[in-house]
Amino acid sequence: MKYDLEVDNVIKAIKDANSKRVCIQLADGLKPQAKEIVAAIKEKTDAQVVIWGGSCYGACDTPLGLEKIGVDLLIQFG
């Protein structure tokens, strides 16, 4: 099944925030699309992309310590 992940909106948000390092958090079912998402972001922005590999149980499940690794924007897909 193919989902519309609205990657163009993600790219716009990255550009609007002038983000330099972005963390992408995906629900387990969407993790197979991580490479596709990262490729689209890298193609259209200068931001570095970090994929959060841990579990995600919704928007309230925000990874801790992202600021310590220089992440200035978190994008959650769920």
Side-chain angles (χ1 to χ4, degrees):
M1 177 176 265
K2 189 75 169 172
Y3 298 99
D4 179 5
L5 298 176
E6 300 182 15
V7 176
D8 289 336
N9 290 337
V10 170
I11 291 166
K12 182 179 181 330
I14 292 167
K15 288 180 178 181
D16 288 350
N18 197 29
S19 295
K20 301 299 178 205
R21 192 162 193 181
V22 178
C23 180
I24 303 295
Q25 185 179 27
L26 299 159
D28 288 344
L30 296 175
K31 286 181 181 176
Q33 292 184 271
K35 286 183 181 181
E36 178 183 328
I37 294 166
V38 171
I41 292 170
K42 285 185 174 184
E43 180 182 329
K44 297 184 179 177
T45 75
D46 293 328
Q48 291 182 326
V49 182
V50 175
I51 299 293
W52 179 255
S55 296
C56 176
Y57 297 102
C60 63
D61 189 14
T62 304
L64 299 175
L66 293 178
E67 65 281 346
K68 290 180 182 176
I69 61 169
V71 170
D72 54 9
L73 183 65
L74 172 65
I75 304 291
Q76 293 177 313
F77 290 94

